[in-house]
Each structure stands twice: as C-alpha cells, then as structure tokens.
Amino acid sequence: MEKTTQQLRSSNNRKHMTILGVALVLLLFLPSLVISCKEGEKTSLLGFLDGLSQNSGLTTSWQNDTNCCLWEGIICNVDGTVTDISLVSMGLEGHISPSLGSLTGLLRLNLSGNSLSGALPPELLRSSSIVILDVSYNKLAGDFDELPSTPDQAMKVVNISSNLFTGYFPSTTLEGMKNLAALNMSNNSFTGKIPSTVCVDKPFFVVLDLSYNQFHGDIPPELGNCSVLRVLKAGQNQLSGTLPAELFKATSLEHLSFPNNHLQGTLDPEHIVKLSKLVILDLGGNGLYGKIPDSIGELKRLEELHLDYNNMSGELPSALSNCSNLTTLILEGNFFHGKLSNVNFSTLSNLNFLDFRSNRFFGTVPDSLYSCSNLIAVRLSFNNLHGQISSRINNLKSLKYLALSHNNFTDITKMLRILSSSTNLTLLILGGNFKHETMPDYDIFYGFKNLMGLALNDCSLYGNLPKWLSKLKKLRALLLYNNQLSGPIPAWINSLNFLFYIDVSNNSLNGDIPTALMEMPMLESLANSDVIIFKFPLYIYRFLQYRTTSGFPRMLNLGYNKFTGVIPPQIGQLKELLTLNLSFNNLYGKIPQSIGNITNLQVLDLSYNNLTGAIPSTLDKLHFLSELNVSNNDLEGPVPTGGQFSTFPDSSFVGNPKLCSPMLVHHCSSADAAPAPNVSTEHYIDKVIFAIAFGMFFGVGVLYDQMVLSRYIYFDRIIVAISSSYNRL
Ligand SMILES: *[C@@H]1O[C@H](CO)[C@@H](O)[C@H](O)[C@H]1NC(C)=O
Ligand SMILES: *[C@@H]1O[C@H](CO)[C@@H](O)[C@H](O)[C@H]1NC(C)=O
Ligand SMILES: *[C@@H]1O[C@H](CO)[C@@H](O)[C@H](O)[C@H]1NC(C)=O
Ligand SMILES: *[C@@H]1O[C@H](CO)[C@@H](O)[C@H](O)[C@H]1NC(C)=O
Ligand SMILES: *[C@@H]1O[C@H](CO)[C@@H](O)[C@H](O)[C@H]1NC(C)=O
Ligand SMILES: *[C@@H]1O[C@H](CO)[C@@H](O)[C@H](O)[C@H]1NC(C)=O
Ligand SMILES: *[C@@H]1O[C@H](CO)[C@@H](O)[C@H](O)[C@H]1NC(C)=O
Ligand SMILES: *[C@@H]1O[C@H](CO)[C@@H](O)[C@H](O)[C@H]1NC(C)=O
Ligand SMILES: *[C@@H]1O[C@H](CO)[C@@H](O)[C@H](O)[C@H]1NC(C)=O
Ligand SMILES: *[C@@H]1O[C@H](CO)[C@@H](O)[C@H](O)[C@H]1NC(C)=O
Ligand SMILES: *[C@@H]1O[C@H](CO)[C@@H](O)[C@H](O)[C@H]1NC(C)=O
Ligand SMILES: *[C@@H]1O[C@H](CO)[C@@H](O)[C@H](O)[C@H]1NC(C)=O
C-alpha cells in the first residue's frame, strides 16, 4: 500500500493546520492566561505592604486597583494564585505581616537581604504550602521554642540565617517538616544543645548549617543517622567533646565543618576513611591532638583540609600525596614536625593555598613543591626550615603571596635574585632569616614588578638601603626594622608613589631626615587612596578577614637609629600620617610647629633625642592623639594644657628638667609664661566644636584602628592585612 504524493501533501497540510490552530488558540487566549489575582490574596499582600515602614517604591506597582499577579516580585500560577514572592535586597524595612500566612498557594517566599525586623510570623513557619522560605540577612528576632508543628508540611528549604534570632534549636517547630532538605540557621544567637532528633523522620535532609551561634555541649551521635546529609556546618559555636564515632556513619557527607569550637580528641584513622565523599573538612581552631592519619590519603575527593590552630603533632603522612584534588591545605598553628619532603607535592597539582605557618617543620623546601604550578599563597613562616629556594619557584606563575619568615634560610642575595623574576609576587615576607648577612646592593633586581609589601625585618642585615628598592614602584609597605642597616635614607624614597607604611626602626641609619621623606605622596594626601583597596584574591586565614585597608595606619617609624639634624618643618605636609616615631635618634633643634598640621596623628614619639625649646602649642590641635612621648629631651617651658594634653601621663614628659607643669616636679613660675595661643579664643572655640563633631564621626574608625593593631602583632599578618581586602578565598 503506497501513499500518493497527493495524500502525503494533504496530511502534511493537515499537520500545519493543526499547529496553526493551536497557535491561534494560544494567541486568542493568551491575555486571559494572566488571570487576575484573587481579591483575598491581594488583601494579604497589601497587608504585607502595610507592615513595611520602608517599601522602597513597591507602591508603584502594588496598587489596589491592579492585578496583583503583575506586581513587582509576585508570580501567580494559571489560576491566579500567588505562588512566589521574591523581594530580595530591596532595602525593605518594617515587619513581616502575618497576613502572608493566608496565601494558601504560596510556594516560595524569599525576603533575603532586607532590613526587616520583629518576629517571623509563626504562620509562615507552619504554612502547609510553602516549600522554600528564605528570610536570611534581615534583623528578625525572637525564638521558636513554643511553636507547635503542623503535620505534613511541604517545607523543603528554611533559611533564617544572619538574623537576630535567639532561643533553643526549634525541634518542635521542625517536627512536621518531613520533606526538609536544607536548614540554615547560621549567624544568629541560638543556644542550648544540638538536639539528637535533628534528622528523625526527615529522609531528604541534605544541608544543615548551624555555624555562628552559641550552641554548646557535645555533638550528638545521632547525627550519624542523617544518612543523606551532605553538608554539616557548625563552626563558631561552643561545642565540646570529641567527634563521636557514630557521626562517621553519615557517609554521604561532602562538607564537614566544625571550626572554632572546643572539640578534643584525635582524627581516628578508621573513622575518617568512612567519609569517602568528603570534599571539605574544616576542624580548625579546636583542641584536637595526635597525627594526621595515613588513611587521609583515601579521601580522594578532598579539596580543602583545614586543621589550623589545634594541638596536632607528628610528621605529615606521605599518603597526603594521594589527595590529588587538594586545593587548600591549612595546618597553621600546630606542632607538626619532620621534613616537608615526606609529602610528594608533585601529585597535588591543584594546590592553591598552602599554610604551614607556626609548626616545627625542618629541612629544606621540597623540590616537589615547585611543581604545584597553581599555588597562589604559600606560608611556611615560623618553622625550622633552612637552605634556599630553588629557581624553579618561577614555575609558580600564580604565586602572589610568599611568607618564609622566621626560619633559617640563608643567602639573601640568591633568594632575592631568584624571587625577583617571580613577576606576580605581591607580598614577600622574609624576615627573621639570613642572620648577619649583608643587604645586597646590586642593581640586579629588575623583577618584583608587582611587589606591594616587602618584609626583611629581624635579619640583623648590614649594608645600606639599596637602590633596587627604588624600582619597586608598587610598594605599599616596607618593613626593615631590627637590622643593622647604615647610611642615609636616599632621596629616591619619594618616588615610591604608593608607599604608606615605612618601618626602618632599630637600625643604624644616619644623616639628616631627608626632605624627600616629607614628600611621600601617600602620606601627603588621600588622593591615591583608592589604590590601596586591593583586588587581591588572597588566602586570608580565619581570623584575618580584612575587607579594606582603611583600618591600617599610615606610618613612618625611624626610631632607634642615628639620625641627626633637625626635624624638617615640612613634616607638617604628611597630613595623612597616623603614627610618627622619631625616638632614640640624635635630633636636635625645636619641635616644628607644623606637626600640629598632621591632624589625624594618633601616635607621636619624639623621645630620647636632644630636642630643645618649648612644646609647640599647635600640638593641642591634634585631637586624635592618643599617645605622646617627648620624654628625655631638653625641652623647656610649660607643658600645654589644651587638647589631649590632660590625658597624657607624666612619663610622656619626664627627662626634660626644664619643662614645667602643675603635674611635674618643676612647677611653672611666671617666668615660664605659657606661649600665647596663636588663634583667638572665639576662633578656638569654633575649632573645638568642629573637632568634637569630627571626633564623633570618626571615633569608630580610630577605635577600629587600635583594635586592629593590637590584634595583629605579627608583621607578616600586618602585611597580609595591608594587601588583603577581599573575602576569605
Ligand atoms: C481595595 O479595593 C477594594 C475594592 O475596591 C476595597 O474593598 C478594599 O478595601 C481595598 N483595599 C485596600 C487595602 O485599600
Ligand atoms: C533567595 O534569593 C537570593 C538572591 O537571588 C538567592 O541567592 C537565594 O539562593 C534565594 N534563596 C533560596 C532559598 O533559594
Ligand atoms: C540560604 O540557605 C539556603 C540553604 O542553605 C541556600 O540555598 C540559600 O542560597 C541561602 N540564601 C542565601 C541568600 O544565601
Ligand atoms: C547559609 O546562609 C548563609 C547566609 O546567611 C550563607 O552564606 C551560607 O552559605 C548558607 N549555608 C549553606 C550551607 O548554604
Ligand atoms: C552575619 O550577619 C550579619 C548581619 O546580617 C552580616 O553583616 C555578617 O556578614 C554575617 N556574618 C556571616 C559570617 O555570615
Ligand atoms: C540513631 O542513632 C542512635 C545512636 O547512634 C542509634 O542508637 C539509633 O538506633 C539510631 N536510630 C535510627 C532510627 O537509626
Ligand atoms: C594544647 O596542648 C597544651 C599542652 O600540651 C595545652 O596546654 C593546651 O590547653 C592545649 N590546647 C587546647 C586548645 O586544647
Ligand atoms: C577531582 O576534581 C575533578 C574536578 O572537580 C573531578 O572531575 C574529579 O572527579 C575529582 N576526583 C576525584 C577522585 O574525586
Ligand atoms: C599572573 O597570574 C595570572 C593568574 O593569576 C596568570 O594568568 C598570569 O599569566 C601570571 N602572570 C605572569 C607574568 O606569570
Ligand atoms: C642556621 O643555619 C646555620 C648554618 O646553616 C647554622 O649554623 C645555625 O645553627 C642554624 N640556626 C638554627 C637556629 O637552626
Ligand atoms: C645631646 O647634646 C649634648 C650636649 O649638647 C651632648 O653632650 C650629647 O651627646 C647629645 N646627645 C645626643 C644623643 O646626641
Ligand atoms: C599648616 O597648614 C596650613 C594650610 O596648609 C598652612 O597655611 C600653615 O602654614 C601650616 N602651618 C605650619 C606651622 O606649617
């Protein structure tokens, strides 16, 4: 039976007709597909709008006389039932009206990233329709302790993270959520214990995030019953005890993270291998002890291993070489010892971040490390390593951050020559090595094209400030303190356009303080300050979450040297300085009046020089000055009484027999008449009022600086701080 062409054509035509017909029908009915929303639902939505004190222009579309299915952030289904409300990061303020609870067809509610306050209406948590509820990043408060559960809820995702919720884990509330897949309670103030029933009757439970709360007590062994759990995060709590053996029954786990708790015990070799799907293991900042078990090598999918700040010891297992997907290996702050060459790093070709700071490793940097061509940051500081770096380090094209400080590396010339061609290098931290060597002074270092921070402190280096430093055009921070460098500060210093942190203290530098130093662009003005907000995807370890460098002081520290001459009056040009230290030199002459022009100055140390004359009254204009030391000079006359002066202790002024003040041994007589203030009283009062207002505005910033300084006493951290700006990883 053959079909004729005629038949074929007509059947084709018929198909075309049908398609056309469907299209026509669609076209005809399309307008009515946008079915008007139900009046009751519109009222519920308007009730929500009513609860907002700041609706960020929502009212332009949310009008009573229009179809609410067309309102901003609203989606309806074909019946005109509201199914989705998505009003993310709109700056909404006010409270969430319980009226949303009467939207019986609502499936997804996402109000993340607003400033909503008050309670989360129980109606929403008990809704039998809502599947996804995200109210993260708001200012919601209250607790859920007493909420009875609704049976058979549809709820799959609950994100109440980054709010101000308190109280215990809401076990009862969650009881009816049999379909729960993800629960994110992180970054609130929940307290009490993690209940043992978390996974009971929740066969689909995949993600549990409890981090950044105040949970305490043991990790319940019953978490091991969470057979499909893939992500378990409970860092930054007060959990104690050991990792229970039963936990390792949860073999679906891919991400296990309990950093910064009070956990004890060891990493059991038998247990850990059971989690063969692990991708991220983060147990940093606990009290774990013992070795890294050999069996770690069986975790073939492992990408991140964080064991920093524990009490772990022993040698690195060579089996670590088998974790070939590792990108991040953080072992800082333990008692690991032995040679790094135990591990064959050449198999870890994905490694980006390696941090072994502050352990007891010895030997040399293993050759195999130079094959990890994707390394971005390497920190081996504070160990007992020796020898040199191989020129193969230049294979590491992405290397931005290298810290080798406080080991026993030798041959600084060779080290710098090799590293100088590492063009991407941004931070180089080498202090505490090369003891008693000479600072190389050859013009051989044409590289270092991107170096922003250089630390060669604590090396007892001899020699001068070398010319090659002048080629480091991007340098922000130069730390050369605690060496034996001599000679003058060269005039090229002011060609380093970005330099704002200079510490050359405790050397034998001599000569006058050059006027070139009074022309440092970054100390003179904030004009370039945008450039110090680095776009540097640096590994920042858990305590170091700097976002910008604004909290970092602009500093000039020339203390403990042999500088002579007078303090150049042009010093007043360095208006952005926060710290100025010229102590323990041989400076003479007067304290320049112009120091009073460095209006943001917080620390001024001129002690142990041969300065004479009066303390300039302009210094009382320094309203942020929190530390002043002019002791042990030959100053005379009265100590000013205005400004911050009443807050400084006697020790700031001692060792100046000719200084007088009501507080000092030498009281002022009429012969010591105070120098007349150089502004009229009226003018002066204006300034004080301005300063107080200004101080209130900036007070927080000042406080922040001080907190920052006291926390980061290690220079290599300071350097990290200078250059890091970005999120962790
Ligand atoms: C919206 O309009 C309807 C009818 O026009 C009216 O009954 C209702 O009160 C209005 N709702 C609000 C919140 O204004
Ligand atoms: C809510 O919306 C934000 C922004 O689009 C998104 O990142 C987040 O994943 C959403 N929440 C859920 C649970 O899907
Ligand atoms: C809230 O948490 C859920 C589940 O962990 C996640 O899917 C969602 O993306 C998170 N929302 C935001 C804004 O991060
Ligand atoms: C939980 O929500 C926070 C936002 O508050 C988000 O950063 C985090 O990734 C979420 N956790 C999980 C496991 O999705
Ligand atoms: C915690 O929440 C606050 C306020 O929403 C937010 O600024 C902060 O980034 C969050 N912290 C974390 C670790 O998610
Ligand atoms: C849950 O875990 C506990 C202890 O690990 C165990 O005794 C119990 O049988 C488990 N329950 C279920 C339902 O698997
Ligand atoms: C680490 O061990 C030392 C001594 O071995 C002990 O004093 C210290 O408390 C331990 N640290 C933690 C966090 O357990
Ligand atoms: C390593 O990572 C790659 C890329 O993410 C992935 O394809 C591969 O399966 C991983 N290897 C193992 C053993 O999991
Ligand atoms: C610097 O690093 C980037 C990746 O971070 C890379 O693409 C680039 O080739 C590197 N440059 C040099 C000169 O090695
Ligand atoms: C450092 O190395 C030198 C020579 O290599 C050696 O003499 C010295 O003892 C080592 N110092 C330390 C503290 O290990
Ligand atoms: C300070 O001056 C006195 C006398 O003018 C002099 O004897 C002394 O050596 C000077 N001290 C310093 C540290 O220069
Ligand atoms: C302080 O700065 C002002 C304005 O820049 C200038 O006029 C004044 O001379 C300076 N004072 C001193 C003592 O240098």
Side-chain angles (χ1 to χ4, degrees):
M1 299 263 283
E2 273 185 15
K3 282 188 179 177
T4 62
T5 36
Q6 184 61 37
Q7 278 173 315
L8 264 177
R9 190 167 297 139
S10 85
S11 101
N12 270 351
N13 278 349
R14 224 171 297 134
K15 271 188 206 148
H16 284 151
M17 290 297 286
T18 324
I19 292 168
L20 200 71
V22 170
L24 254 172
V25 168
L26 272 176
L27 266 174
L28 281 171
F29 285 88
L30 205 59
S32 52
L33 278 183
V34 187
I35 288 170
S36 195
C37 76
K38 302 193 168 85
E39 209 55 41
E41 302 217 318
K42 188 189 282 187
T43 309
S44 301
L45 290 174
L46 288 174
F48 171 74
L49 187 65
D50 238 18
L52 300 178
S53 55
Q54 165 59 266
N55 63 44
S56 307
L58 220 47
T59 36
T60 24
S61 69
W62 287 42
Q63 298 275 352
N64 191 5
D65 55 359
T66 61
N67 178 1
C68 76
C69 292
L70 300 173
W71 290 358
E72 178 175 5
I74 304 298
I75 297 178
C76 296
N77 65 11
V78 282
D79 308 330
T81 306
V82 174
T83 57
D84 292 69
I85 302 178
S86 178
L87 300 168
V88 175
S89 303
M90 290 187 60
L92 303 180
E93 290 171 25
H95 66 266
I96 303 177
S97 163
S99 69
L100 289 185
S102 36
L103 297 169
T104 50
L106 188 63
L107 300 176
R108 288 164 290 264
L109 175 61
N110 194 340
L111 299 174
S112 174
N114 288 292
S115 296
L116 299 165
S117 52
L120 179 63
E123 289 81 355
L124 297 178
L125 273 173
R126 294 169 57 191
S127 154
S128 46
S129 69
I130 297 183
V131 175
I132 296 179
L133 175 67
D134 191 341
V135 292
S136 59
Y137 293 108
N138 278 287
K139 293 173 177 166
L140 301 169
D143 60 43
F144 309 101
D145 295 350
E146 306 298 335
L147 271 189
S149 74
T150 318
D152 301 322
Q153 286 182 262
M155 199 72 88
K156 286 186 181 159
V157 176
V158 176
N159 191 344
I160 53 172
S161 65
S162 296
N163 279 286
L164 306 169
F165 292 117
T166 51
Y168 297 124
F169 188 96
S171 302
T172 330
T173 314
L174 298 171
E175 237 165 54
M177 299 185 188
K178 310 249 187 271
N179 296 306
L180 195 65
L183 174 60
N184 191 343
M185 298 168 57
S186 66
N187 199 13
N188 282 288
S189 296
F190 288 106
T191 184
K193 297 192 170 187
I194 301 177
S196 56
T197 53
V198 172
C199 304
V200 172
D201 288 336
K202 294 190 175 49
F204 312 108
F205 201 27
V206 175
V207 174
L208 176 61
D209 193 343
L210 303 176
S211 39
Y212 295 95
N213 279 290
Q214 272 124 49
F215 288 112
H216 57 77
D218 292 343
I219 299 172
E222 289 81 1
L223 282 181
N225 291 350
C226 304
S227 58
V228 295
L229 197 63
R230 291 208 294 262
V231 177
L232 174 56
K233 295 174 71 179
Q236 281 81 16
N237 280 288
Q238 313 285 333
L239 301 172
S240 51
T242 58
L243 290 171
E246 294 84 352
L247 179 65
F248 298 90
K249 288 194 301 173
T251 52
S252 300
L253 278 175
E254 293 168 9
H255 183 165
L256 179 62
S257 160
F258 283 103
N260 296 336
N261 281 288
H262 308 299
L263 301 177
Q264 298 284 328
T266 59
L267 275 187
D268 187 297
E270 317 263 276
H271 292 157
I272 196 79
V273 285
K274 292 189 192 149
L275 303 183
S276 60
K277 294 181 178 164
L278 269 190
V279 176
I280 299 176
L281 178 61
D282 187 350
L283 299 171
N286 282 290
L288 302 179
Y289 48 85
K291 297 175 21 152
I292 299 179
D294 280 333
S295 59
I296 197 97
E298 291 172 45
L299 304 181
K300 297 271 194 276
R301 298 192 185 176
L302 201 60
E303 291 176 13
E304 292 187 24
L305 178 61
H306 305 255
L307 296 171
D308 49 317
Y309 290 98
N310 279 288
N311 261 354
M312 298 187 73
S313 54
E315 301 197 10
L316 293 183
S318 58
L320 206 52
S321 327
N322 297 338
C323 304
S324 55
N325 265 6
L326 268 184
T327 60
T328 306
L329 180 55
I330 311 295
L331 304 179
E332 178 183 8
N334 282 286
F335 301 99
F336 292 116
H337 67 267
K339 295 187 171 177
L340 296 179
S341 53
N342 282 2
V343 176
N344 179 2
F345 289 93
S346 60
T347 57
L348 306 182
S349 57
N350 295 309
L351 214 50
N352 295 136
F353 303 105
L354 179 121
D355 191 352
F356 290 174
R357 185 183 186 276
S358 198
N359 277 286
R360 294 175 177 174
F361 291 114
F362 56 82
T364 55
V365 175
D367 249 10
S368 63
L369 195 63
Y370 305 120
S371 2
C372 302
S373 55
N374 291 308
L375 277 171
I376 295 170
V378 175
R379 186 148 72 162
L380 302 174
S381 309
F382 292 92
N383 279 288
N384 294 315
L385 303 170
H386 69 265
Q388 281 98 31
I389 290 290
S390 155
S391 60
R392 292 183 59 207
I393 199 160
N394 295 322
N395 295 345
L396 310 182
K397 295 292 182 215
S398 306
L399 193 65
K400 290 199 158 78
Y401 173 48
L402 179 64
L404 303 174
S405 66
H406 296 271
N407 280 285
N408 195 10
F409 291 104
T410 47
D411 200 345
I412 186 175
T413 307
K414 187 173 175 195
M415 179 82 92
L416 291 176
R417 190 187 292 149
I418 287 170
L419 290 173
S420 71
S421 28
S422 202
T423 32
N424 265 347
L425 207 57
T426 307
L427 291 172
L428 183 55
I429 318 294
L430 296 175
N433 289 293
F434 322 111
K435 287 291 159 68
H436 304 289
E437 293 188 17
T438 300
M439 175 70 92
D441 198 15
Y442 315 104
D443 268 349
I444 51 171
F445 307 121
Y446 292 123
F448 287 134
K449 291 262 186 302
N450 287 300
L451 206 61
M452 294 188 188
L454 175 65
L456 276 168
N457 52 286
D458 290 291
C459 298
S460 303
L461 293 175
Y462 297 101
N464 299 327
L465 291 181
K467 183 77 189 297
W468 55 267
L469 285 176
S470 68
K471 301 213 166 85
L472 311 185
K473 293 299 182 202
K474 295 192 176 168
L475 206 62
R476 269 90 170 143
L478 179 62
L479 288 76
L480 295 173
Y481 60 88
N482 298 347
N483 282 297
Q484 307 193 23
L485 300 172
S486 51
I489 293 185
W492 49 249
I493 193 83
N494 64 2
S495 69
L496 297 175
N497 285 340
F498 298 111
L499 193 57
F500 70 88
Y501 188 94
I502 306 170
D503 191 344
V504 295
S505 63
N506 201 15
N507 279 285
S508 296
L509 298 172
N510 54 31
D512 289 348
I513 296 174
T515 47
L517 206 49
M518 307 297 122
E519 291 157 3
M520 301 299 294
M522 285 293 276
L523 298 180
E524 282 185 314
S525 83
L526 290 175
N528 286 331
S529 49
D530 54 324
V531 300
I532 63 164
I533 312 297
F534 300 97
K535 298 276 182 289
F536 191 64
L538 173 82
Y539 157 65
I540 306 162
Y541 93 102
R542 70 181 74 255
F543 295 117
L544 233 187
Q545 300 193 348
Y546 274 83
R547 297 293 190 272
T548 68
T549 56
S550 57
F552 201 77
R554 296 175 186 227
M555 181 169 92
L556 181 58
N557 190 346
L558 308 181
Y560 290 91
N561 276 289
K562 294 181 172 161
F563 291 109
T564 52
V566 300
I567 302 174
Q570 298 92 321
I571 197 140
Q573 290 162 204
L574 304 182
K575 289 197 174 26
E576 300 306 328
L577 266 185
L578 297 187
T579 297
L580 175 62
N581 190 339
L582 303 176
S583 66
F584 290 90
N585 280 291
N586 299 326
L587 303 172
Y588 50 78
K590 295 190 170 167
I591 299 176
Q593 300 257 339
S594 63
I595 290 186
N597 266 358
I598 311 178
T599 44
N600 294 323
L601 204 60
Q602 292 167 19
V603 178
L604 176 62
D605 192 345
L606 304 175
S607 63
Y608 289 93
N609 280 289
N610 257 1
L611 300 171
T612 52
I615 298 176
S617 58
T618 53
L619 296 194
D620 64 18
K621 291 194 293 180
L622 301 178
H623 295 285
F624 300 115
L625 199 59
S626 57
E627 272 177 52
L628 172 73
N629 194 347
V630 294
S631 68
N632 298 293
N633 280 288
D634 199 13
L635 300 168
E636 61 185 68
V639 173
T641 49
Q644 293 285 86
F645 273 89
S646 59
T647 65
F648 301 129
D650 289 357
S651 56
S652 295
F653 306 102
V654 296
N656 292 287
K658 287 181 262 176
L659 268 188
C660 71
S661 117
M663 313 299 170
L664 293 175
V665 183
H666 181 177
H667 288 233
C668 301
S669 68
S670 56
D672 299 316
N678 47 4
V679 280
S680 73
T681 320
E682 212 176 316
H683 196 170
Y684 180 68
I685 286 168
D686 274 347
K687 288 202 167 181
V688 169
I689 289 167
F690 171 73
I692 290 170
F694 188 72
M696 281 168 66
F697 186 70
F698 280 100
V700 180
V702 173
L703 192 69
Y704 179 60
D705 284 350
Q706 283 162 356
M707 275 161 41
V708 162
L709 258 190
S710 60
R711 252 175 100 185
Y712 304 112
I713 46 171
Y714 290 117
F715 35 81
D716 68 346
R717 295 199 185 164
I718 284 175
I719 289 281
V720 177
I722 292 173
S723 57
S724 63
S725 64
Y726 216 42
N727 295 318
R728 187 179 168 200
L729 298 194

